[in-house]
Amino acid sequence: MCKILERDGREWAVETIRQLAELVGKGDGNRELIACLERGLIGRPPSFADGVQSVIDDIRDAGKAA
């Protein structure tokens, strides 16, 4: 696994969250946010996708804890 690509994937996901901040934590917003991030998995190198997926997992975990 390439740690650089994984980090790039996480950074892309976090930047996407920043740009879509109005969706975060509001009703179905997390579901919409996750759907947007999942589109970022398509056609990406596996390590990049792993980084994005780790952010998706964090969002899901935070939603369960709330």
Side-chain angles (χ1 to χ4, degrees):
M1 174 172 32
C2 178
K3 291 293 184 183
I4 293 171
L5 283 176
E6 184 176 352
R7 187 192 70 229
D8 287 347
R10 284 190 63 82
E11 288 176 6
W12 175 86
V14 170
E15 181 59 30
T16 299
I17 291 169
R18 281 189 198 109
Q19 292 175 8
L20 301 172
E22 69 274 2
L23 297 178
V24 177
K26 296 181 182 174
D28 287 340
N30 279 353
R31 186 177 6 202
E32 292 178 43
L33 181 60
I34 289 171
C36 181
L37 293 174
E38 286 176 337
R39 287 191 294 272
L41 298 172
I42 299 168
R44 301 293 182 127
S47 295
F48 185 96
D50 288 344
V52 174
Q53 187 63 51
S54 70
V55 173
I56 292 170
D57 294 341
D58 290 346
I59 293 169
R60 285 190 176 130
D61 291 345
K64 290 177 187 175

